[in-house]
Amino acid sequence: MKNSATESRENKAKKLFFSPGAMSIIHMGEELIGHPTTAINELVKNSYDADANICNIYFHIEKSSNKSFLILKDDGIGMDQNLLFGKWLQPSVSEKRKNGVKSKKYKRSFLGNKGIGRLAAMSLGQFVTVITRKNSKSEYSWLTLDRESFRTEGKFLSEVTFPGDSISNYENLFSNREILEIRNSKKNETLLSILKRNSLDRFNSGTLIVVENLDMSLMRNHF
């Protein structure tokens, strides 16, 4: 026969929670995105949802993957640091799922409501740099994700860190030696040239995404 002390213990339960591994980001990107054209489509959806009128995509593909890159630039409303360093870093979390929610400027019905668009770029290449700005009076906010840093077995997602900050001239992200070391990347003269040639080295509002070291197996099979 059970006594009251035993019954009291059996009527309680611990509160448990998941501690996702760092590899979960890679798996989510590969399984939910899968195809490079789907990844690009997700990025364009995000631009539409950000009230962009124009979204341009530039590819530069060479035999050497570390010289290949993709640039996506939109003229949407952009993000401030609170958004970029906050909710943008919460995969699969999206306020777009709420009923009746529309875009801020043009009141568009959202296309990218899965919260995985931010993982789309990671499925295309190793380094993903997001640069964004809400208006000409603010500095650019940026961050760089190195996909390989998430591939460590036994490492938790919360243990993976990556660089990000504000900057007045984001061209330095791709040319300044010290910042390149922080980003664990290398200077790419072709990338710098295309940024200047297409007037992508500065903008008043919007978001610019640069994916470096493209996954060449994907590029060869689908482009």
Side-chain angles (χ1 to χ4, degrees), residues 74-160:
D74 71 46
D75 63 350
I77 61 174
M79 293 179 279
D80 58 19
Q81 283 198 8
N82 290 333
L83 181 55
L84 180 62
F85 301 156
K87 292 183 179 179
W88 195 89
L89 295 176
Q90 299 171 356
S92 78
V93 175
S94 176
E95 293 187 350
K96 299 176 185 178
R97 295 193 186 96
K98 295 180 180 178
N99 291 332
V101 176
K102 303 285 186 178
S103 67
K104 292 182 178 180
K105 186 176 180 180
Y106 296 129
K107 307 303 178 185
R108 294 170 173 170
S109 296
F110 290 124
L111 298 179
N113 59 4
K114 299 175 183 175
I116 59 173
R118 68 210 74 178
L119 303 180
M122 291 181 68
S123 69
L124 295 171
Q126 180 180 355
F127 297 103
V128 177
T129 299
V130 179
I131 303 161
T132 186
R133 189 188 204 188
K134 290 188 73 68
N135 56 66
S136 59
K137 296 180 180 179
S138 62
E139 288 193 309
Y140 300 96
S141 298
W142 69 274
L143 59 78
T144 294
L145 304 173
D146 179 353
R147 185 175 64 185
E148 297 309 305
S149 66
F150 293 89
R151 291 193 186 276
T152 306
E153 291 288 349
K155 197 170 187 178
F156 293 115
L157 185 58
S158 59
E159 297 178 90
V160 179

Side-chain angles (χ1 to χ4, degrees), residues 19-211:
S19 295
M23 281 288 291
S24 64
I25 286 291
I26 305 296
H27 294 154
M28 287 173 67
E30 291 176 348
E31 294 176 13
L32 296 176
I33 303 296
H35 196 287
T37 54
T38 303
I40 294 171
N41 188 42
E42 287 296 325
L43 293 173
V44 174
K45 284 181 180 179
N46 280 359
S47 294
Y48 177 87
D49 292 345
D51 286 322
N53 289 305
I54 299 173
C55 179
N56 292 321
I57 301 175
Y58 304 80
F59 279 100
H60 180 78
I61 299 177
E62 295 190 15
K63 291 182 179 180
S64 175
S65 64
N66 62 5
K67 293 184 178 180
S68 299
F69 57 85
L70 174 151
I71 301 171
L72 181 145
K73 168 65 178 64
D74 71 46
D75 63 350
I77 61 174
M79 293 179 279
D80 58 19
Q81 283 198 8
N82 290 333
L83 181 55
L84 180 62
F85 301 156
K87 292 183 179 179
W88 195 89
L89 295 176
Q90 299 171 356
S92 78
V93 175
S94 176
E95 293 187 350
K96 299 176 185 178
R97 295 193 186 96
K98 295 180 180 178
N99 291 332
V101 176
K102 303 285 186 178
S103 67
K104 292 182 178 180
K105 186 176 180 180
Y106 296 129
K107 307 303 178 185
R108 294 170 173 170
S109 296
F110 290 124
L111 298 179
N113 59 4
K114 299 175 183 175
I116 59 173
R118 68 210 74 178
L119 303 180
M122 291 181 68
S123 69
L124 295 171
Q126 180 180 355
F127 297 103
V128 177
T129 299
V130 179
I131 303 161
T132 186
R133 189 188 204 188
K134 290 188 73 68
N135 56 66
S136 59
K137 296 180 180 179
S138 62
E139 288 193 309
Y140 300 96
S141 298
W142 69 274
L143 59 78
T144 294
L145 304 173
D146 179 353
R147 185 175 64 185
E148 297 309 305
S149 66
F150 293 89
R151 291 193 186 276
T152 306
E153 291 288 349
K155 197 170 187 178
F156 293 115
L157 185 58
S158 59
E159 297 178 90
V160 179
T161 61
F162 41 86
D165 209 331
S166 60
I167 196 168
S168 57
N169 180 6
Y170 64 81
E171 185 181 353
N172 289 333
L173 296 173
F174 307 101
S175 61
N176 182 280
R177 181 175 58 83
E178 293 182 359
I179 300 180
L180 285 169
E181 289 181 0
I182 291 173
R183 294 179 55 246
N184 193 32
S185 188
K186 295 181 179 180
K187 188 175 182 178
N188 188 324
E189 295 291 354
T190 305
L191 171 58
L192 290 167
S193 174
I194 289 180
L195 287 175
K196 282 188 171 295
R197 190 189 314 159
N198 295 280
S199 299
L200 297 174
D201 52 343
R202 63 183 60 84
F203 55 89
N204 289 330
S205 67
T207 298
L208 184 145
I209 297 175
V210 179
V211 184

